[in-house]
Every structure is written in C-alpha cells, then in structure tokens.
C-alpha cells in the first residue's frame, strides 16, 4: 500500500498494473544539468523487452517510454521527471477465467486478502511488468553515476553454472549480449539455452542465479548502521519479482571459513590482497570491486495443468495460457542493474554530505 | 551519516559507540497502552550479553537498560520511548595502539575515508556493541506483536550443520537455550561447541548460519512493490554486523528447481501443501510459516599476528588483545529476533491501513 | 529538488511544468475499497480551471484528468493511483522573449541560481499550474475522509473584508459558488468583484485572504510534537503559490489577549464554550471546528511595464502578455481545500495507530 | 505518535516528558568534522532556562546537557549525536490533583482521547519543557551553518509593539540581551516588562509576537514545491508550543497591496530594491534578508480560579500552582532561533545536491 517509492535523495515513485492503460513513474531528486542519452535508456528497455529472443516470452510490446517533464533541451532541470509507458498489447480477455482463482505461488491470494479487492487481469501490480519503471529510472541513475560500472550476467540456470570467477570472464557489453541468455561464458551459455528450450518444450520453467559486479566505485558509499550499502543492495534485489536470496562477497560459503582465512589484508596502496569482503566494510564501500549473487526461483506460471482453489475454496484445474517466459533470468539482467544503479545514485548523493564543508554566500 | 533510524511507523533511532559513555535510542510510534514486561526486555539483553558462557567473550558488562520516557505506570503512553545503556567497562586504554591502524576486514579504513575522522577506541559506531539498542527496541516490538512467534537458532557453525528441517526440531525456548551455542539439536550443538573451542584455542574465529522461523503470522503483512516483506527482512538482517547473505523459502537451492516442482499448491483451507515460497507471496505474508537463513562471516578480530597498514601506508603487525568472541552466532540470536520483530511491528501497523474503513466522529 | 512528495501514509508525488507535455502524479497509500465519485473530482478541477468567469484568466484549458492505474471497477485497489493531465494549450512561443529575463517577484532568478538551468517557458515548475495535481489528489483525499467537511471561502480582497464570523455565514456549496469570487456574503462579494475588475482594467493584480473551516472532525487527529495538526496545515498552505501567511484560531489577534480571556472553558459534554484554540490543543484536534486564514499576495505578473534585469545584469523593460489572473483567490479555493484534505487524509490514517490493538491471526 | 523526528538530512529525534527522569535526543546526519563550541550550546540553553529573570518562571533547573556519543576530541564524527538533560526538579507531587482534570486550553483532554492514557504530571510530552531538546539540536545546527546569521527578538507583548522596522534596530546580541524581555528597542522593552509585571501580579498571562531575521543566507536554499523554504519555516514555528500564526515578508498586510506595489524590482547586482518577498521567491532563498513573525497566544496556565471538567464530566474549580511564566516570549527566543537553524541546516545540505557534479573515484 505504501511501498511504491524507492530511495531517499534520488527517489522513484512508480505506478501501473500489467493490464492497465499505462505504467509510469516520477523521479524526484535527480540533480539538474545531466545531459541524458535517450538511446541508452531505450537500450535498457529493449534488454528487458518481451519478444527479444526465442527463450523469452513472445509477447510483442514496443515498451517505449514517454518523458513528460523534468527534461529541457535534453538536460535534467532538477524538477521531477515524469514518465509513462503505455500498454499496447494488454489483451485483458485472456485473463477473465482467472477472476476468482488463486494461482499457485502467485500473489492472487495475498492481494485479495490484504486489499479485499484485486485487479484479476494478469498479475496486476504484482506482475513483473511493473519492473519496466525500474528500468527507466535505473537507466537515468546510471547516467548520474556514470563513472561507476555496473555489470551483471547469468551465472547459473538450474544446475548449470559458470565455474569461473568473474575476473576470468570477458564482462564487456559485447560479450554478455552475444547470446540470448546473457552469460559471458559461451560454452556454459549454450548449455543454459539448450536447457531452457527443453524446459520450455515441457511447458515448465526454471530458476537460476545472476551475478552482479560493481567496479570503479568511490570509497565511502553507504550509510551505517541500518542502511549499510549491502543491506540496501540486498533490499533492492529482494524487491525484484521471483528473488529468493542475496549474498555478497564470500556469502554463504564464507560462513565455513575462519577469520584468518577470511580477513582481507591491506596492501601499501590501501587496496586489499583478497576481497572476500566484497568491496564493503562496515557497510561502506572500500574501493575494491563489489560483487553479489541473486537467486531467482522458477516462474510460477507454467503451461501445465495444476490443481488450485478459487476464492470460495473450490478446487479447479488451471493451465497457463498465452506467451510466458520459461526463465526470467535474461530479461532480469537490466532490472538487476537498474536497481543497483538506483541504490548507488541515492547513496552517492549522501556521500557528498558526510564531511563538513561550508556553502559560501554567493 | 543518516542511516541510524529503522522503520517508518514503529521507528527506532539509535546512537552510541563501543567506548563512549553510553548507547541508547528512541522508539517513536509505539502505540499507547501496551503493558510492558520489563523482565522479558532484560532477558533478551542477557541473551546478547558478553560473558554468558565459555564460548563467548569474557568481558563483563551488566547491560542494563534505563528507560527515560514514554512509559507511565508500566504502560506505553504513545510518546517516544527514550532509553540508555551505560558502558561500564570500556577500558579505552586497551585501544590506543590502534589509533592510526587499519585492522583487516574491519571498518577502520572506510570510516576514516568517509568521515575524515574516527573514534579509534575499538570499533566505535561500527562495533557490534551498537546492537544492544536493537535488542531493547526489538524486545518492545515483540510485545507489540505478541501473537506472532519469532524463533531463531544456530543451524551451522563452519561446516557443521543441522541436517534436519525446522519442523523436525524442538523449537521451544527451553530447547534452544539449553546449550551455549543455541542449537536445538543436542548432538550437533555439542559438535559446534567443541569446534568453537578448538578455533578459540588457536586464536581464530569461525562463521556460521542462523535460521529464523516466524509462525502464527497474520495474512497480509508486507508492502509491495519495493517494501516487500522479505525485502525488508533481508535489509534488516544484512544490516547486522558480519552478515554476508540472506535467503528465504527455497532460497539459493530453489534456483535449481522447475516451476512445477517449486509451486506451492493450495489446499481447501487456503493453506498450501508445500511451502517453498517461505510464507510470502508477492511480498505479502500468506499465513504459512516464514523461514529464512542468515550467513555470518567469521569475526575479523583474531588473536593471531596479522600484517596490516596504518594511515600513512606503513606496514605494521597487529594482534587482537583483550577478550573477543570466537564465534558471533550464539549472541546474534537475540539480534536476529529483534530485527525481525522490528520489521514485523512496523509492517503490522501498515496492515491496519490497507483496507478502507472510516473513523467515526467521536 | 526533492520536495515533490507530500504526506507519509497518504503520499502524493507530483510532476509537471506549465508548458510541458503534461502534469501528473501518483498517490501511494490510498486504502483499497473506496468507491470513487469521478464527477466530484472533475468538479474540483473545474473550480480551479482557467476561463471559468470574467475575473479569472481567459486561457482555455479543459483540465481533464486521466487515471492510469490503481482503480478497478471504480474502486481503489490499494495500489498506486497514477494520473496525468495533458497541457492542451501551452503556446510556448508566447514565452520566448523571457528566456534570459528575471521577472520581478517570480522565481526565474532563484531557479536559475539553484539549478543552473531553467525551463523558461512560463513559470515551469514554479507556475501555479502545478496545483492541478494537488486538486486531483485532494479530491480523492476528500472522498477518503468524507465524514469531515472542509469549506473555504474568500474573506478579503485587498482591503475589502467580510465583517462577519464564519458562524454567521451560509457556508453551503450553493452559497459560496453563487458568485465568481466565492465569497458567501453577497454584498461583500459584489464589492470584491467590482474591485477586481477595476484592478484588472489597470493591468494590475490584488491580494486577499481565504478562510477555511473544518467541521465534524474526530478528536485525536495530529501527531505531536513536530507534526502538530496546525503545523502541517500551515506547511500545506504555505506551500501554495503566493501564500505569505497562515494563522489558526485566535491567530495574530490572540497575541493581544490575556490567558484568562483566551482560555476556552470546557462544558459538561467536553466541548468548549469559546473556541479561540481553533479546534486544536497540543497539536491534536479536540472535536471543535478548526478554522484558519491564509494570506495571498497579489500575483506578480502584471500587464504594466516594469524595469528588470536579464541574466547578464542588463536592465530591460518587460510587460505581461497573454491572459493572466488579476486575483488568484477564487481559483485558489479548491487548492486550499485539497491541501487541507491531503493533510487530514494522511493524519486520519495515523490516528488509527495511536492506541494499541492487536491484529488477530486470520 | 510518530511526530517526534524533525528534518530529513539533519534529523533530530527527541524524547522526554516534563516530569520524567530526563529529556533527550539524537541528531542523525550531522556532517563529520565540525568543531563544536560547547559554551555556545550552554549559552542557548541558559537563554531558555527558567529562573533567569523576574519576568519568567522562578523554577530552578540547571538544564545541563550531557552528550553521550557522536563527538570525539570535540569534533563531530558523522555518527549520531545522543544527548540527555536530566530533570532535577520535577516535584511530581505538585501535580497529583490534576490526575483526572482537563485544564482549559491545555492538551490534557486531547492526549487522553488520542492515546487513552496520559502522564498527568504536568504537561507530560506536551509541556514546553520538551523544547529544551530543540535548543540543544538547534545550537549544533547553528554551528553547522555558521555563516548564516539568525536573530530574533520580541516585537510585541499584548498591544505594545515596536514601531520600527528591523533595519532601524540594533540587532546585536548585546542589544537584544540587554533587557529581560529581549526587545532591542529600550523604551518599548521597558513598557513590555512593566506590562508583564502587572499581568503577573494579577495572576494572568499575556501573548505577543516574535520577529526573526535571517541574514547572509546563500541563494538557492529551499525545496519546491511542497517543501518551500517558508513552508518548512512555517511548520517549524507552528510546531512550537503556543504559536497561533506565521507570516513572512509582507505577510497579511501584503494582501492589501497591488502587484505593482508589491513586486520587488531587481537591481543590477541581482539584489532587489524592496524586499516584500521576504528573501524567498518560489520557495527558494534569493539572497536578500529573510524575515518572519510568529504569534504566541497567552500561556494557558493562570494563577486564577477557572471552572473546568474532569474526565467524568464533573465541573471543578482549578487554579494554577507553583511557578509559571506570565509571558512565554523571552524564553521562546532561543527556541525560535533553534528551529530556524534546524530548518536551514537540513536545507543547506539539500542545496549541495541540486546541481550535478560527479564524485571522482578516490
């Protein structure tokens, strides 16, 4: 009910349901004077778009963003940036049979109980279509913090994983975008794609893991004690549809180590020899690479018959219709990067405030 | 700099450094008329206290909380609850040798860089001593949401893990508090304690995992889309010192499953047969148990010589002095539960607002 | 830069410039299940519309609102309500001569200095056109708190004032809407209108005062100590374009009284004999009528030649062009009521949280 | 219930009741590296102290502040600054007779109704004793924005007013502090003091007006559209006990002027010839002096018999006991200045964020 604003200084409000007229948002707090590259914004939307390859949903949505305010002569003006993306292809009739049904592992049931009313046309507000607004805002945030590089890629699909560290991979845009699964290791990518195709043919879906790397980040970003950098990154990632887990640096594996194995020793130049800390100490960036992993469950909508109940407690059989993603991961890449950029943009601004400096009388 | 307030409706502000005069906090937004059980508050503080067993630090702190406002005749009055805990045993002289040193995997370096000034007496604000305020506030939050049951226990230490699901364990307070590691499986507990003792004798430290279970939770708690219940729980856990990862429900393992394996089918009574969702769908509690895991790295302070640098870039050798924890986990149990209670208290209040109802003219 | 969100629980974000493509907003936190009367929303917009009478600007804008989300089958769903109002009639060419000019008592100068860039087409973000979003959101807020009655009217124009207390006036909608100045005292209204016409003919503008009355308000609304009800009402009113002052209850005149004259004595039914307090004690509504006054300065855009400077410090002569309001007050009535409704809606929700009550497990 | 935090970037949380153990607060967001002048902080507290002259309450409280964190070697560290002020002289027994009584024009009634429970010992949270925390925080805020000068003085008591503009007065600290009423016009001051003494002898109280002037303020402070500088100043002032009105610049008198009379014409150096705008245009400071007036009602506690009711609706006679202020104004001066400083400190920090500038990789 009240969770539709993200960030404090670089604040994004969003609205919109999967089958409504439009989705959109407002960015409040974007500094004035940023020259925006509109192509980069559309590029990110295209990476999130349905229909972009054979392993994602074949729905066709142009997903074009219209900016309504806050930009003048291609520059941000410091006033709120309003934007909308119209839903061209909602096909509400596809969903009428779901009016009173609680689909398994969807949020039909919880929305109905929480609000007492529900837009039953598709996922409504809980649909991943909502993330389109995150990508628009994130693409602008990326341009605010352009010196920082955010890269993410698919590191696992089901039980197929890259068995190289991120340092061993070519993480250039070209390398990651070369294949439809967005995995920079070509052999693994091929196996992942073939796995997804098999799963799709069975009408099923599959989960996986995305790895995200932040490089060239200034020291000092993060706001202890409750808003440590990794805590806010974790929250941002966990707010993405289908995410079940987040770890950074040594993560869950690090729990098996001793302190003497885990400690990152400093070098003369203030960098550390190892980086099990994952670039963050005490909730504040230390200038080393930040890296983290995000676990995505398999999508709940499957093209197979499932038994479920309706709101009167009657059992019924349902089966996914239409065109759905067999695996959320390739389209989630720009969402992960967008949320990362939103966190960093917000915190970057706080960082300007941590040390005292006076503002002179003009 | 600005991250010392947690929550929105049940808001906690905290202050205090490990070696300052006192730590404390303010709870703003606690409803009026809650009859407080003061013994339960001290009980939680005692579970967090140093010196409570042979596998935790032997420092001796009474950790008594003084409430200064907001409570009248033992009931909350709706005004802010101020509290302080004085540091009885700070021993600042122990720390003078660390004045210009950056200890490995501590936040000495990042605080120095971010703020340009640092309270070098111990961890200062970044010390886990700060969590004492979380436990005070959390103990009150628990009393606000007393119908909900929050239980946590140590499920792994290093590579020793409980190999039972939480349903197979006796999760009564007695069972968990029976041993000093707070593991409800007696055999595993024994192995964990013996492991920690070995590690401690070597002057080293070890990480581990805490599992937390929320039962008897109402349906409808959580605020999509950015403040989904699990996102806020994740943030709360990741804000605790030494935490490197969070997963809920099926977590990272769930990424290996297919949709047809992962979906939780509804039963006639609106419960689900399985619970891989972990009690949350679309960011909102569905009434099933919520369960999640938190990864703790090994504590960075070890009783072994380590090479590090000072702020001038000179190498020096340091070695932990005094009395430190070999394993943070048993003392982290009340902290995990407190942060969970703070999240739930805050969201519980939002839940009252999601459906329309008028307030009549009195 | 970051001041475009109003409220905490019933939160409104707005965007849009006077000569951009559209203005709009998002309401986050509106409870689910409110049946909306769309005609009432448009009615409020019509009261704010240009061109509605001979004493306001003759610009012609339909000012139709498009709701994009958050409403399903005419009821709020608890998800964010997005809306846009397109600018049909912007005529940007009218404003090109103002590109580098700082108009006197406008915010051209301060925006330029603060942001380093400025949308010079009219007032941009600082134009009162922005208030259209306040009226949309306020009209919904009014429906949330429908038991409370908010009424405002023009009580002074220049030195012409109603010399009756609000209790002596007919404050029905019909009475206030009967004349174009929205003054419920017909004789005074006539004088005001004739005054405004004279002022308009001279190419000048004139200020005035609006009085606002809140009746049938529950006891207990307001959040001490910083967010007292009158403090938030004051902020809301002062945020409206052209407002220079706010007083409630006895106001500035009350400073001349003694305590024994000013104290409101209680009666047996808990009402008070007098109401110099203005319905608020200690920042919390006491159930008596709330009444306050808002001072509006004369509009800065006049149809007379004025000497001013451009951004290079050169003197130039300017003169208002186009169609402007000679007096902001009649069109400000719905804005005052909207901001009042937004404050009350937000605080109404807080009021549900002040006393403890448990939420049962469903 | 949730209104005890002021500010966003420079955030103050406060707690404490008039007859509790202590009052205190936390400043979160104060930049690191400010060298604090502790004497100035105590100086402000002394100006607010009871017992400082014959025209204020003769209660005796040392009002000493204890800082508990956030300051190291006399400098702010960027971590939260916790502080407490103990109540030395609460004399709770004085108040027992008020247990069930609703004093006229106090908030006994509204607190009882809102929270269902009330600390009846004096005003509890609604007592002006609460403002001690505002003065501590404000005194630190003043040191953050030390280039800006904030001066306030008593300009009216009852119907006795200074009939000079602020520019004609000597506003040095010495001049204002020379007399016990803090009025920089000696003749008027004498009349005011003699008026207050008469009022006091009758057991009555009297209201008045404080004028506040901000000079040497940078251009660009204020956050449109809802958080305009004057809106936030208004809210801050209206949150002070006994305040009934706020006006800035031309204020209520400005409503009588025409646009051509009211507009402030620019001069070549970007200053304005006149300053009816009061230093703020479009919610943003324009570098000219900011000036505003605050109306204080007479204090409700009088030393005369008054008829009132108790919580059972029975009439009873009450009479103020103990030592109360006949006029709140001289002691309100540091409170007004503190709240002004808190607003400016918060907004000063936002001002650093309005224009884009990158943070380089360190």
């Amino acid at each position: 009910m009240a969770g539709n604003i993200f960030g404090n200084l670089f604040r994004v409000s969003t609205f919109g349901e999967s089958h409504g007229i439009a989705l959109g948002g407002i960015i409040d707090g974007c500094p004035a004077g940023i020259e925006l590259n509109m192509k980069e914004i559309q590029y990110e939307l295209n990476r999130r778009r349905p229909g972009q390859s054979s392993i994602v949903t074949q729905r066709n949505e142009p997903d074009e963003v219209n900016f309504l305010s806050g930009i003048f002569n291609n520059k941000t003006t410091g006033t709120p940036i309003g934007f909308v993306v119209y839903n061209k292809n909602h096909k509400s009739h596809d969903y009428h049979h779901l009016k009173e049904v609680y689909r398994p592992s969807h949020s039909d049931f919880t929305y109905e109980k929480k609000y007492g009313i529900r837009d039953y046309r598709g996922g409504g507000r809980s649909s991943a279509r909502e993330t389109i607004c995150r990508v628009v805002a994130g693409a602008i945030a990326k341009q605010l913090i352009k010196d920082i590089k955010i890269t993410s890629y698919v590191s696992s699909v089901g039980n197929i994983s890259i068995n190289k560290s991120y340092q061993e991979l070519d993480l250039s845009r070209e390398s990651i975008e070369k294949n439809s699964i967005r995995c920079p290791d070509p052999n693994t990518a091929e196996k992942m794609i073939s796995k997804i195709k098999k799963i799709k043919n069975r009408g099923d879906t599959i989960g996986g893991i995305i790895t995200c790397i932040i490089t060239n980040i200034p020291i000092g970003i993060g706001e202890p004690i409750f808003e440590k950098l990794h805590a806010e990154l974790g929250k941002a990632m966990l707010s993405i549809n289908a995410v079940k887990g987040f770890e950074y640096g040594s993560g869950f594996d690090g729990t098996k180590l001793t302190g003497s194995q885990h400690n990152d020793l400093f070098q003369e130049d203030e960098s550390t020899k190892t980086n099990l800390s994952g670039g963050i100490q005490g909730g504040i960036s230390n200038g080393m690479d930040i890296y983290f992993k995000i676990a995505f469950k398999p999508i709940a909508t499957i093209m197979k018959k499932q038994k479920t109940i309706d709101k009167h407690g009657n059992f019924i059989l349902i089966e996914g219709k239409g065109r759905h993603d067999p695996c959320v991961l390739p389209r989630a890449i720009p969402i992960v990067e967008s949320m990362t950029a939103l966190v960093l943009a917000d915190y970057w601004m706080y960082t300007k405030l941590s040390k005292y400096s006076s503002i002179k009388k003009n």
Side-chain angles (χ1 to χ4, degrees), chain A:
Chain A
M1 198 190 68
N4 299 287
I5 299 185
F6 190 83
N8 289 295
L9 295 178
F10 190 95
R11 273 193 297 194
V12 185
S13 308
T14 73
F15 70 85
E17 289 99 35
S18 59
H19 291 70
I21 299 165
L23 303 104
I26 304 174
I27 302 171
D28 189 23
C30 185
I34 305 175
E35 192 143 0
L36 290 180
N37 182 332
M38 293 297 178
K39 279 186 191 158
E40 274 297 313
I41 298 171
Q42 194 59 48
Y43 170 77
E44 297 291 349
L45 284 170
N46 291 345
R47 295 209 294 164
R48 190 207 152 279
R49 236 183 116 242
Q52 61 183 280
S53 79
S54 64
I55 59 165
V56 305
T57 171
Q58 296 305 301
R59 263 181 296 117
N60 190 17
E61 282 277 356
D63 285 354
E64 254 175 88
V65 62
N66 303 282
F67 288 103
L68 303 176
S69 68
I71 302 170
F72 189 58
N73 295 336
N74 231 33
K75 277 190 179 167
T76 59
T77 62
T79 61
I81 300 170
F83 61 87
V84 285
V85 179
Y86 284 93
N87 284 327
K88 291 279 162 61
N89 188 15
H90 29 97
K91 294 200 180 178
S92 319
H93 55 283
D94 271 353
Y95 289 87
H96 201 77
H97 62 293
L98 294 173
K99 190 171 171 180
E100 304 205 320
V101 172
Y102 298 145
R103 289 168 299 164
S105 292
H106 277 85
S107 54
D108 302 335
F109 173 72
T110 49
Y111 270 68
E112 181 82 35
K113 292 290 173 179
K114 182 178 181 68
Y115 301 111
I117 181 175
R118 180 167 62 91
D119 181 348
Y120 52 79
R121 301 166 304 167
R125 183 67 179 157
S126 76
S127 161
R129 181 139 184 81
E130 155 271 302
T131 58
I132 201 166
C133 299
R134 306 184 184 217
V135 172
V136 174
I140 291 177
K142 272 192 174 180
Q143 300 194 28
L144 170 62
I145 54 162
K146 62 181 172 218
D147 295 331
I148 303 176
K149 199 165 180 317
I150 301 165
T151 311
S152 71
Y153 60 92
V154 174
S155 50
S156 293
V157 169
N159 49 21
I160 301 168
S161 302
I162 299 185
N163 52 16
K164 292 175 185 162
S165 74
Y166 76 88
Q167 291 96 336
E168 300 170 84
L169 296 167
D170 172 2
L171 295 184
S172 65
R173 184 181 275 193
E174 296 66 38
S175 160
I176 292 167
E177 296 297 320
K178 197 178 280 169
N179 56 65
S180 58
I181 187 65
R182 296 197 166 95
C183 168
D185 189 47
N187 289 338
T188 313
E190 213 171 295
K191 284 181 210 157
M192 288 172 170
I193 293 168
S194 132
K195 169 93 175 186
I196 292 170
K197 286 184 176 164
K198 253 180 250 165
I199 291 282
K200 184 186 169 185
N201 287 339
R202 297 208 308 256
D204 215 334
T205 59
I206 183 81
I209 295 173
I210 287 176
T211 298
C212 185
I213 318 290
I214 306 169
T215 56
N216 205 38
I217 181 165
I219 301 169
I221 295 185
E223 299 298 321
I225 59 166
F226 294 119
E227 297 175 2
K228 289 172 177 162
L229 180 51
H230 54 273
E232 207 63 30
L233 285 169
K235 175 183 167 177
M237 295 307 131
L238 287 156
S239 79
I240 300 171
N241 307 50
V243 172
K244 304 297 286 185
F246 169 87
E247 61 173 25
Y248 83 105
S250 62
F252 278 88
D253 283 348
T255 65
K256 295 177 186 156
L257 300 179
T258 62
S260 56
Q261 293 166 327
H262 195 281
N263 283 352
D264 294 318
L265 300 186
F266 281 102
Q267 304 183 109
E268 262 171 311
D269 64 354
E270 301 187 336
S271 70
T272 59
K273 250 189 241 187
T274 50
N275 183 19
L276 291 163
S277 296
I280 301 174
Q281 278 160 346
I284 301 168
S285 64
N286 70 353
M288 302 294 291
D289 292 353
I290 293 174
Y291 57 98
F292 52 88
K293 286 186 177 172
I294 312 121
F296 288 82
K297 68 165 191 172
I299 291 170
T301 304
I302 57 178
M303 303 297 112
K304 294 179 143 184
K305 282 206 167 53
Q306 295 177 97
K307 204 166 109 177
T308 194
I309 58 168
D310 65 16
K311 64 187 288 185
H312 310 292
N314 303 319
F315 278 115
I316 53 165
L317 273 183
I318 58 157
E319 185 174 356
K321 288 186 186 178
R323 295 155 298 181
H324 293 279
D325 287 281
C327 178
V328 79
L329 279 90
R331 292 180 60 205
I333 289 288
I335 305 166
V336 163
E337 294 184 8
S338 290
M339 293 308 297
T340 303
L342 287 175
V343 170
L344 293 177
D346 199 33
Y347 275 54
W348 166 292
M349 292 173 76
Y350 271 111
T351 306
K352 298 195 181 195
L353 306 174
S354 53
K355 288 178 199 166
Y356 174 67
S357 68
S358 67
I359 301 182
K360 290 280 162 241
K361 168 88 171 131
N362 333 46

